[in-house]
Amino acid sequence: MKSVPQISLEEAVALVKDGDILLQGGFGMTGNPVHLMHALAETGTKDLTFIGNNVGEAGIGGGKLLRNGQIKKMIGSFFTSNPEAVKAAQDGQVEYELLPQGTLAEAIRAGGAGIGGFYTPTSAGTELAKGRETKVIQGKEQVYVEGIRGNVAFVRAWKADMAGNLSYRMTEQNFNRAMATAADIVIAEVEEIVPVGEIAPEHVHTPGSYVNYLVQATLTTEDLGSSASVSSSRKVSETRMNMAKRALQELKKGDVVNLGIGIPTLVADLITPEDGIVMHTENGMLGVGPSPKDGGGAMDYPVNAGKIPVTALPGSSYFDSADSFAMIRGKHVDIAVMGGLEVDEQANLANWAVPGQPLLGVGGAMDLASGAKTLIITMTHTNKDGSAKVVPTCALPLTALKAVDMIITDLAVFRFIDGQLTLTELMPGATLEEVRAKTTAKFKEALTAK
């Protein structure tokens, strides 16, 4: 049986050279090899190309390397979780490339599997497709993305044996599993190293053939950043809750459902185990339950895509980000409920960026919008200045083309019926005249009696 060397943090980070491409596992600070990142921040290694879902948090994980000026370029899906990464990009201090979260995960999996690249419908027709080759496959426009490999990968697992077999805890698989396949040197930071045989074969998530070195490092609450605990104080307006309640009416027993941040998150608070709805979170979990009642954090609980600790309902399962987005693109998620900035008459969605600002945080929005069987958008009917959000043509950067099935606002419910935007309901307190006055898109009226 192979024996993988156990080395110190100092020995591990010495394997990273100036100009290397560094893959870093983790989703936020969950499953993040934070001790390896902090040890690397103590070195003079520079000009790194950093690849990860996000660049840690301010001063934590990859955020330390960024603060030190050790990162030349960052490639990821959601830089906006670190304000210092946003500022560095805006000021031109660091180069960056933004990829949809599922595309990033699949590119890493492809690189690890020796596949040169792949076509995906995610991002077709959007700003992120510009400059990329596209092709119509099975009647759908798809975007070509090259596989990703690195010189060194830092991953975090909960347990390893001396043969390098890795086992992950809860939602800590995320990007770690794919990244452990996609670098010349793979260094696994682990909580515990056990003798060969103590991890049952069926509990090995990453086989030891991928792993070159092991480093033992104990996780603390401080290493988890914003996921360290749950805050229970949240005030919700009646208007927002009404939209969440209306969205809940669309969910049926047995549906696999993904909820975006903002108003959609409120739907989760309304779902009970008796509803039989299976909640999906794109960082690798089916069967998401409510927030922990004891205020506990990611040391004891899984986290959702908002990096908030949640509970696991009976029958839950964990998997990695690549499998999660394969689930989404493969139409195994029945309904996605997402927020919106604009929806137009052609069922196009804009919900992730505004003109004139760097494109720094798309996350899983594009994958979900184009991949879920049904897409429901919840949003206020107008912007703060009174301008319409249900419009003839989206002016904001697009998230997905012809993807929206239903819109729920504080004033109205619209459906796309036979391709036509159709008003089907008024929300509590709203009038038809008000909806007409505040909607610039053309729509058919087919109000149902209540």
Side-chain angles (χ1 to χ4, degrees), residues 113-386:
I115 296 171
F118 58 94
Y119 286 93
T120 174
T122 302
S123 81
T126 76
E127 291 286 326
L128 298 190
K130 288 186 176 178
R132 294 188 180 275
E133 177 190 345
T134 61
K135 182 181 289 189
V136 175
I137 302 174
Q138 298 175 342
K140 250 190 169 180
E141 184 179 1
Q142 305 210 22
V143 180
Y144 181 74
V145 181
E146 290 188 355
I148 289 175
R149 283 191 64 88
N151 301 107
V152 180
F154 286 171
V155 301
R156 169 85 191 182
W158 196 247
K159 187 179 289 188
D161 65 21
M162 292 304 297
N165 295 311
L166 305 180
S167 180
Y168 303 98
R169 184 184 67 148
M170 298 184 294
T171 47
E172 293 177 0
Q173 292 185 46
N174 50 63
F175 280 85
N176 281 303
R177 270 182 53 194
M179 286 182 171
T181 71
D184 302 328
I185 299 172
V186 175
I187 305 168
E189 171 188 313
V190 299
E191 188 76 12
E192 182 183 6
I193 301 174
V194 300
V196 172
E198 285 202 17
I199 302 176
E202 61 268 28
H203 295 155
V204 172
H205 299 122
T206 294
S209 57
Y210 292 111
V211 180
N212 300 104
Y213 298 98
L214 298 173
V215 174
Q216 193 280 324
T218 302
L219 195 68
T220 68
T221 302
E222 289 71 28
D223 299 325
L224 296 172
S226 61
S227 296
S229 63
V230 175
S231 173
S232 59
S233 59
R234 180 170 61 171
K235 291 185 178 179
V236 180
S237 70
E238 183 179 2
T239 298
R240 290 167 67 85
M241 190 55 74
N242 281 341
M243 286 186 270
K245 289 176 180 177
R246 182 60 189 85
L248 179 63
Q249 294 176 29
E250 298 299 309
L251 312 185
K252 305 184 301 297
K253 188 172 185 177
D255 279 347
V256 175
V257 178
N258 185 290
L259 300 176
I261 60 173
I263 296 168
T265 304
L266 302 177
V267 180
D269 297 334
L270 303 173
I271 294 172
T272 67
E274 292 72 32
D275 292 322
I277 295 163
V278 183
M279 300 301 302
H280 169 273
T281 179
E282 57 262 38
N283 56 305
M285 182 181 179
L286 272 178
V288 179
S291 298
K293 299 298 184 187
D294 59 8
M299 190 69 79
D300 304 301
Y301 294 97
V303 302
N304 64 16
K307 305 177 183 68
I308 298 169
V310 293
T311 52
L313 297 178
S316 296
S317 58
Y318 302 117
F319 33 89
D320 77 334
S321 294
D323 281 348
S324 184
F325 282 97
M327 196 179 294
I328 294 166
R329 288 190 303 272
K331 299 292 182 182
H332 304 291
V333 172
D334 295 300
I335 298 176
V337 185
M338 302 174 67
L341 297 174
E342 286 181 337
V343 178
D344 68 20
E345 295 172 10
Q346 293 76 44
N348 299 325
L349 169 67
N351 82 337
W352 71 283
V354 295
Q357 297 295 322
L359 306 179
L360 290 168
V362 65
M366 288 184 177
D367 301 272
L368 283 161
S370 63
K373 291 180 185 176
T374 299
L375 178 61
I376 300 172
I377 301 302
T378 58
M379 63 183 184
T380 56
H381 204 90
T382 62
N383 293 300
K384 290 181 179 179
D385 63 1

